[in-house]
Structures are given as structure tokens and as C-alpha cells.
Amino acid sequence: MTAAASSPESALKQTDGFDFKAYLSQSKQLVEQALDASLGPERPESLREAMRYSLLAGGKRLRPILCLAACQLAGGEAKQAMPTAVALEMIHTMSLIHDDLPAMDDDDLRRGRPTNHKVYGEAVAILAGDALLTRAFEMVALRSPGVPPERLLKVVGELSLVAGAPGLVGGQVVDLESEGKDVDLETLEYIHLHKTGALLSACVITGAMIGGANDDLVAALRVYARGIGLAFQIIDDILDITASSEVLGKTAGKDLVADKTTYPKLLGLEESRKRADDLVREAKDALEPWSMKATPLLALADFITSRDR
Ligand code: GRG
């Protein structure tokens, strides 16, 4: 496998004997079905509609797929990890809904559609996010048949750290506080490791926990996750400059307009891409001892740097 693919097509084809394109499309289909089935008869109907609007709006579904792949690498079955995979997408979706609010990034477009608050109003958007976040914990604690309770407890612990001040919320606060300031590379890395990296990391760690991973594998997956998490955000920064809103499904060029500190601003486009490639190589190296069984995670790492949206 090459160190980093240069296009989505090459990432989809590059692993000998492993049809990554089919793997991605089958996994996505399973995740979509599970997401569709995940929201029960929430009342009132308006809340259910707002939750479904964002949860089922598409998206790459990278987080749940990472979770399922890590569970299988650890020796578990993908279906055991599906409720947690859904929970991770719920947390991700709630963070997008809240991130788009006027008090945060103030955005009108997400996943190619008007943002949640543009359709349902700010109050319902906040509450739909809250309901998705709490439903995520319900999925793990109450809707994960066949998984030993001690593993589920560990998953709940990991998710609570990642969603709160030590993860997403902390990263978002430092991001907001950094607006309009010159931010150094260390602070930028802190923001990205918390805002974006923490949840991506939780995807592989919780999947591995459900699959019964040993300490060596969990430690290796933490290195892998740090690498892909940072690389993912660097590519996000690059795409904000190089891709269109139509392709991204969200407003392109926002970082430039807001004069936000990004990797391309600090390092330039070429150096940023090189850094993302290096991080993905380090991530893949960490899984070397598991190389054959880790093929999906290795291919997903390449997909992260080759993606165009
Ligand atoms: C979790 C309680 C709680 C609060 C959240 C708003 C907030 C606090 C944090 C912001 C987190 C955020 C929006 C980070 C950006 C992550 C990112 C790069 C999202 C884009 O992910 P993709 O490209 O999107 O995977 P799709 O649409 O494909 O799923």
C-alpha cells in the first residue's frame, strides 16, 4: 500500500485484494439502516423530525465505520458495535447542529442542506442536539445486546470524556476564544485534537473495547487515532480553501473570511498536505503488527488524506 493516496479513486483501489470501494459502500449502507432505525417514537413529533433531519442527512459516516472496523480488528463482530457506531454518529451530528448555530459558527449550509436551526429555529435545534447527545448514551447503555456490561461501561466512560470538557466542548471553547487572535501551532493542534481528533479517536477505541481488544492493541489504536484525527482536520482546512461549497455540502472559504488560524495559514498548502501524509503514515505504522487484519483501518487512513469532501 502506498503511504498516502493522491486521489479518492486511488485510495479506493490501492489495497491489493481488498475492495475498499465495496467495503465502504456496504458499511455505509449498514450504518444508514441502523441510523434510520435508531430514533424511536420521540415525542413531540417536531423534535423527532428535527433529530432525523440532521441525523439522516447523509455525510460520509466515517466515524461509525471506524468503530465497526476497530471492533472487527479486535476480534468482535461488527453488529455488536453497531449501537455504539450509531451513538458516535449521533454525538457527531449534535456537534454539527450546535457548531452551526448563530452563537457558534453561524452557518446556513450543512451536508448540502439548510442547517437545522434554519429549518426548525434555534431553540428546537439546540434541543434536537441535546436529545441526540443523550440518546447516544442510551444506545450504548440500553440498546447494545450481546456486549458484556463491563465493556459497555468502559465505552460510556470513553464517550463521556470525549463529548465533554476534556474533548469536544473544551476544543470548541478554545476555538471560539482564539477567534481574531494569532494562534500558534501548539494551540491549533490542541483545538483540533479536542474538537475533531477526540471523537475520531473514540470511534476506534470504543469499537476495540467492544471487540475485547487487549492493552497493546488499544495503545496502538490510540496512536493510529491521533494521527488520523489530526490529518483529518488538516485536510478539512485544505478543503476549505480548495473545494467548492457544492462539493463540500457546507460553506467553503469560511476560514479565510473569518481570518481563522488554520494549518494552511501557518504552514502553507504544500507543507500542510505533507504533514497530513506524514501523520497518516505514522498512524498506519502503529498498526503494523496487525497488518493483515487491519486492512480496513489502513485503507480508511488513506481515504482520510485523499478525500475531496
Ligand atoms: C458534544 C456537548 C457537545 C458539544 C459540542 C459544537 C461543539 C461542542 C463542538 C464542535 C465540534 C465540531 C463541529 C468539529 C468539527 C469536526 C469536523 C471536521 C466535522 C466534519 O466532519 P465530516 O467531514 O462531516 O466527517 P460529515 O458530514 O461527512 O459527517
Side-chain angles (χ1 to χ4, degrees), residues 57-63 89 91-100 104-105 110-111 129-130 133 162-164 167-173 175 194-197 199-200 232-233 236 239 248 250 307 309:
K60 294 179 285 297
R61 309 308 193 194
L62 192 58
R63 291 158 188 80
E89 189 66 22
I91 296 174
H92 171 54
T93 301
M94 80 74 56
S95 80
L96 299 180
I97 295 173
H98 282 197
D99 193 53
D100 291 333
M104 306 253 183
D105 245 16
R110 174 69 70 178
R111 291 174 163 171
D130 294 343
L133 178 62
V162 155
L168 280 170
V169 177
Q172 179 76 348
V173 169
D175 194 16
H194 291 76
K195 243 186 94 163
T196 307
L199 188 59
L200 285 166
F232 184 91
Q233 186 59 55
D236 218 63
L239 289 174
L248 289 180
K250 62 182 181 181
R307 69 195 174 99
R309 64 197 67 204

Coordinates of all heavy atoms in Angstrom, one line a residue, residues 57-63 89 91-100 104-105 110-111 129-130 133 162-164 167-173 175 194-197 199-200 232-233 236 239 248 250 307 309, ligand 1:
A57 N -29.1 13.1 7.2 CA -28.8 14.0 6.1 C -27.7 13.5 5.2 O -27.2 14.3 4.4 CB -28.6 15.4 6.7
G58 N -27.2 12.3 5.4 CA -26.1 11.9 4.6 C -24.8 12.1 5.4 O -24.8 12.0 6.6
G59 N -23.7 12.5 4.8 CA -22.4 12.5 5.5 C -21.7 11.3 5.1 O -22.2 10.3 4.7
K60 N -20.4 11.3 5.4 CA -19.5 10.2 5.0 C -19.7 9.0 5.9 O -19.3 7.9 5.5 CB -18.1 10.7 5.0 CG -17.8 11.7 3.9 CD -16.3 12.2 3.9 CE -16.0 13.1 5.1 NZ -16.8 14.4 5.1
R61 N -20.2 9.2 7.1 CA -20.4 8.1 8.1 C -19.0 7.5 8.4 O -18.9 6.3 8.7 CB -21.3 7.0 7.6 CG -22.7 7.5 7.1 CD -23.4 8.5 8.0 NE -24.8 8.7 7.7 CZ -25.5 9.7 8.2 NH1 -25.0 10.5 9.0 NH2 -26.8 9.8 7.8
L62 N -18.0 8.3 8.4 CA -16.6 7.8 8.7 C -16.5 7.3 10.1 O -15.9 6.3 10.4 CB -15.7 8.9 8.4 CG -14.2 8.6 8.4 CD1 -13.9 7.6 7.3 CD2 -13.4 9.9 8.1
R63 N -17.1 8.0 11.1 CA -17.0 7.7 12.5 C -17.6 6.3 12.8 O -16.9 5.5 13.4 CB -17.6 8.8 13.3 CG -16.7 10.0 13.3 CD -17.4 11.3 13.6 NE -16.6 12.5 13.3 CZ -16.5 13.0 12.1 NH1 -17.1 12.5 11.1 NH2 -15.7 14.1 11.9
E89 N -22.2 8.6 15.7 CA -22.7 9.5 14.7 C -23.7 10.5 15.3 O -23.8 11.6 14.8 CB -23.4 8.6 13.6 CG -23.8 9.4 12.3 CD -22.6 10.0 11.5 OE1 -21.4 9.6 11.6 OE2 -22.8 11.0 10.8
I91 N -23.5 11.8 18.3 CA -22.7 12.8 19.0 C -22.1 13.7 18.0 O -22.1 15.0 18.1 CB -21.6 12.2 19.9 CG1 -22.2 11.4 21.0 CG2 -20.6 13.3 20.4 CD1 -21.2 10.6 21.9
H92 N -21.6 13.2 16.9 CA -21.0 14.0 15.8 C -22.1 14.9 15.2 O -21.9 16.1 15.1 CB -20.5 13.0 14.7 CG -20.1 13.7 13.4 ND1 -19.2 14.7 13.4 CD2 -20.5 13.4 12.1 CE1 -19.0 15.1 12.1 NE2 -19.8 14.3 11.3
T93 N -23.3 14.3 15.0 CA -24.4 15.2 14.4 C -24.8 16.3 15.3 O -25.0 17.4 14.9 CB -25.6 14.3 14.0 OG1 -25.2 13.3 13.1 CG2 -26.7 15.1 13.4
M94 N -24.9 16.0 16.6 CA -25.3 17.0 17.6 C -24.2 18.1 17.6 O -24.5 19.3 17.6 CB -25.6 16.5 19.0 CG -24.4 16.2 19.9 SD -23.5 17.6 20.6 CE -24.8 18.5 21.4
S95 N -22.9 17.7 17.5 CA -21.9 18.8 17.5 C -22.0 19.6 16.2 O -21.7 20.8 16.3 CB -20.5 18.1 17.6 OG -20.0 17.6 16.4
L96 N -22.4 19.1 15.1 CA -22.5 19.8 13.9 C -23.7 20.8 14.0 O -23.6 22.0 13.6 CB -22.8 18.9 12.7 CG -21.7 17.9 12.3 CD1 -22.1 17.1 11.1 CD2 -20.3 18.6 12.1
I97 N -24.8 20.3 14.6 CA -26.0 21.2 14.8 C -25.6 22.4 15.6 O -25.9 23.5 15.3 CB -27.2 20.4 15.4 CG1 -27.7 19.3 14.5 CG2 -28.3 21.4 15.8 CD1 -28.7 18.4 15.1
H98 N -24.9 22.1 16.8 CA -24.6 23.2 17.7 C -23.5 24.1 17.1 O -23.5 25.3 17.3 CB -24.2 22.6 19.0 CG -25.3 22.2 19.9 ND1 -25.2 21.9 21.2 CD2 -26.6 21.9 19.5 CE1 -26.4 21.6 21.7 NE2 -27.3 21.5 20.7
D99 N -22.6 23.5 16.3 CA -21.5 24.3 15.7 C -22.1 25.3 14.7 O -21.5 26.4 14.5 CB -20.5 23.3 15.0 CG -19.2 24.0 14.6 OD1 -18.6 24.6 15.5 OD2 -18.8 23.9 13.4
D100 N -23.2 24.9 14.1 CA -23.7 25.8 13.0 C -24.6 26.9 13.6 O -25.0 27.8 12.8 CB -24.6 24.9 12.1 CG -23.8 24.0 11.2 OD1 -22.6 24.3 11.0 OD2 -24.3 22.9 10.8
M104 N -22.3 30.2 17.5 CA -21.0 29.5 17.3 C -20.5 29.9 15.9 O -20.2 31.0 15.7 CB -21.2 28.0 17.4 CG -21.9 27.6 18.7 SD -20.7 26.8 19.8 CE -21.8 26.4 21.2
D105 N -20.6 29.0 14.9 CA -20.0 29.3 13.6 C -21.0 30.0 12.7 O -20.6 30.5 11.6 CB -19.6 28.0 12.9 CG -18.1 27.9 12.7 OD1 -17.4 28.7 13.4 OD2 -17.6 27.1 11.9
R110 N -25.3 22.7 5.6 CA -24.6 21.6 6.2 C -25.0 20.3 5.4 O -26.2 20.1 5.3 CB -24.9 21.5 7.7 CG -24.4 20.3 8.4 CD -22.9 20.2 8.5 NE -22.4 21.2 9.4 CZ -21.0 21.3 9.7 NH1 -20.2 20.5 9.1 NH2 -20.6 22.2 10.6
R111 N -24.1 19.5 5.1 CA -24.4 18.3 4.3 C -25.4 18.6 3.2 O -26.3 17.8 2.9 CB -25.0 17.2 5.3 CG -24.0 16.7 6.3 CD -24.6 15.8 7.3 NE -23.5 15.0 8.0 CZ -23.7 14.3 9.1 NH1 -24.9 14.2 9.6 NH2 -22.8 13.6 9.6
G129 N -30.2 18.7 19.3 CA -28.8 18.3 19.6 C -28.7 17.7 21.0 O -28.1 16.6 21.1
D130 N -29.4 18.3 22.0 CA -29.3 17.7 23.3 C -29.9 16.3 23.3 O -29.4 15.4 24.0 CB -30.2 18.6 24.3 CG -29.5 20.0 24.5 OD1 -28.4 20.2 24.1 OD2 -30.3 20.9 24.9
L133 N -27.6 13.8 21.8 CA -26.4 13.5 22.7 C -26.9 12.5 23.8 O -26.2 11.6 24.1 CB -25.9 14.8 23.3 CG -24.8 14.7 24.3 CD1 -23.5 14.1 23.7 CD2 -24.4 16.0 25.0
V162 N -15.0 12.2 25.9 CA -14.8 12.8 24.6 C -15.9 13.9 24.3 O -15.6 14.9 23.7 CB -15.0 11.6 23.6 CG1 -15.4 12.1 22.2 CG2 -13.6 10.9 23.5
A163 N -17.1 13.7 24.8 CA -18.1 14.7 24.5 C -18.0 15.9 25.4 O -18.5 17.0 25.0 CB -19.5 14.1 24.7
G164 N -17.3 15.8 26.5 CA -17.4 16.9 27.5 C -16.2 17.9 27.4 O -15.5 18.0 26.4
G167 N -12.9 17.0 25.8 CA -12.9 16.7 24.4 C -13.5 17.8 23.6 O -13.0 18.9 23.5
L168 N -14.7 17.4 23.0 CA -15.3 18.3 22.0 C -15.6 19.7 22.6 O -15.3 20.7 22.0 CB -16.7 17.7 21.6 CG -16.7 16.6 20.6 CD1 -18.0 16.0 20.5 CD2 -16.3 17.2 19.2
V169 N -16.2 19.8 23.8 CA -16.6 21.1 24.3 C -15.3 21.9 24.6 O -15.3 23.1 24.3 CB -17.5 20.9 25.6 CG1 -17.8 22.3 26.2 CG2 -18.7 20.2 25.3
G170 N -14.3 21.3 25.2 CA -13.1 22.1 25.5 C -12.5 22.6 24.2 O -12.1 23.8 24.2
G171 N -12.4 21.7 23.2 CA -11.8 22.2 21.9 C -12.6 23.3 21.3 O -12.0 24.3 20.8
Q172 N -13.9 23.2 21.4 CA -14.8 24.3 20.8 C -14.6 25.6 21.6 O -14.5 26.7 20.9 CB -16.2 23.8 20.9 CG -17.2 24.8 20.3 CD -17.3 24.9 18.8 OE1 -16.4 24.3 18.1 NE2 -18.2 25.5 18.3
V173 N -14.4 25.5 22.9 CA -14.3 26.8 23.7 C -12.9 27.5 23.3 O -12.9 28.7 23.1 CB -14.4 26.5 25.2 CG1 -13.9 27.7 26.0 CG2 -15.8 26.1 25.6
D175 N -11.4 27.1 20.6 CA -11.5 27.6 19.2 C -12.2 29.0 19.2 O -11.8 29.9 18.6 CB -12.3 26.6 18.4 CG -12.3 26.8 16.9 OD1 -11.4 27.6 16.5 OD2 -13.1 26.3 16.2
H194 N -8.9 18.2 20.2 CA -10.0 18.1 21.0 C -11.3 18.2 20.2 O -12.3 17.4 20.5 CB -10.0 19.2 22.1 CG -8.9 18.9 23.1 ND1 -7.5 19.1 22.8 CD2 -8.9 18.3 24.3 CE1 -6.8 18.7 23.8 NE2 -7.6 18.2 24.8
K195 N -11.4 19.2 19.3 CA -12.7 19.4 18.6 C -13.0 18.2 17.6 O -14.1 17.8 17.4 CB -12.5 20.7 17.7 CG -13.4 21.8 18.1 CD -13.3 22.9 17.1 CE -14.3 22.8 16.0 NZ -14.5 24.0 15.3
T196 N -11.9 17.7 17.0 CA -12.1 16.8 15.9 C -11.5 15.4 16.2 O -12.1 14.4 16.1 CB -11.5 17.3 14.6 OG1 -12.0 18.6 14.3 CG2 -11.8 16.4 13.4
G197 N -10.3 15.5 16.7 CA -9.5 14.2 17.0 C -10.1 13.4 18.1 O -10.1 12.1 18.0
L199 N -13.2 12.7 19.1 CA -14.3 11.9 18.7 C -13.8 10.8 17.7 O -14.3 9.6 17.8 CB -15.4 12.7 18.1 CG -16.7 12.0 17.8 CD1 -17.3 11.3 19.1 CD2 -17.8 12.9 17.2
L200 N -12.9 11.2 16.8 CA -12.4 10.1 15.8 C -11.7 9.1 16.6 O -11.8 7.9 16.3 CB -11.5 10.8 14.8 CG -12.3 11.6 13.7 CD1 -11.3 12.5 12.9 CD2 -13.0 10.7 12.7
F232 N -7.1 14.3 9.5 CA -8.4 14.6 9.0 C -8.7 16.2 9.0 O -9.2 16.8 8.1 CB -9.4 13.9 9.9 CG -10.9 14.1 9.5 CD1 -11.4 13.2 8.6 CD2 -11.6 15.2 9.9 CE1 -12.8 13.3 8.2 CE2 -13.0 15.3 9.5 CZ -13.5 14.4 8.7
Q233 N -8.3 16.8 10.2 CA -8.5 18.2 10.3 C -7.7 19.1 9.4 O -8.1 20.1 8.8 CB -8.3 18.6 11.8 CG -8.7 20.1 12.0 CD -10.2 20.4 11.7 OE1 -11.1 19.7 12.2 NE2 -10.5 21.4 10.9
D236 N -9.4 19.0 6.2 CA -10.5 19.8 6.3 C -10.1 21.3 6.1 O -10.8 22.0 5.3 CB -11.2 19.7 7.7 CG -12.7 19.7 7.7 OD1 -13.2 18.8 7.1 OD2 -13.2 20.7 8.2
L239 N -9.3 21.7 2.3 CA -10.5 21.6 1.5 C -11.3 22.9 1.6 O -12.0 23.4 0.7 CB -11.4 20.4 1.9 CG -10.9 19.1 1.5 CD1 -11.8 17.9 2.0 CD2 -10.7 18.9 0.0
L248 N -18.5 20.3 -1.1 CA -18.3 20.1 0.4 C -19.7 19.9 1.1 O -19.8 19.2 2.1 CB -17.6 21.2 1.1 CG -16.1 21.4 0.8 CD1 -15.6 22.7 1.5 CD2 -15.3 20.2 1.2
K250 N -21.1 22.2 2.6 CA -21.1 23.2 3.6 C -20.3 24.4 3.0 O -19.7 24.3 2.0 CB -20.4 22.7 4.9 CG -19.0 22.3 4.7 CD -18.4 21.8 6.1 CE -16.9 21.4 5.9 NZ -16.3 20.9 7.1
R307 N -9.5 12.3 0.5 CA -10.9 12.6 0.3 C -11.0 14.0 -0.3 O -10.1 14.9 -0.2 CB -11.7 12.6 1.7 CG -11.3 13.7 2.6 CD -11.8 13.4 4.0 NE -11.3 14.4 5.0 CZ -12.0 15.4 5.4 NH1 -13.1 15.7 5.0 NH2 -11.4 16.3 6.3
R309 N -14.1 15.8 0.1 CA -15.2 16.5 0.7 C -15.3 16.2 2.2 O -14.6 15.2 2.6 CB -16.5 16.1 0.0 CG -16.9 14.6 0.2 CD -18.0 14.2 -0.8 NE -17.4 14.3 -2.2 CZ -18.2 14.5 -3.3 NH1 -19.5 14.7 -3.2 NH2 -17.7 14.5 -4.5
Ligands
GRG1 C1 -20.6 17.4 22.3 C2 -21.8 18.6 24.2 C3 -21.1 18.7 22.9 C4 -20.9 19.9 22.3 C5 -20.3 20.1 21.1 C6 -20.2 22.5 18.9 C7 -19.2 21.7 19.6 C8 -19.4 21.3 21.1 C9 -18.0 21.2 19.0 C10 -17.7 21.4 17.6 C11 -17.2 20.2 17.0 C12 -17.0 20.2 15.5 C13 -18.2 20.7 14.7 C14 -15.9 19.9 15.0 C15 -15.6 19.9 13.5 C16 -15.4 18.4 13.1 C17 -15.5 18.2 11.6 C18 -14.2 18.4 10.9 C19 -16.6 17.9 11.0 C20 -16.8 17.5 9.6 O1 -16.8 16.1 9.7 P1 -17.1 15.2 8.4 O2 -16.3 15.8 7.2 O3 -18.6 15.5 8.1 O4 -16.9 13.8 8.7 P2 -19.7 14.5 7.5 O5 -20.8 15.5 7.1 O6 -19.2 13.8 6.4 O7 -20.1 13.6 8.7

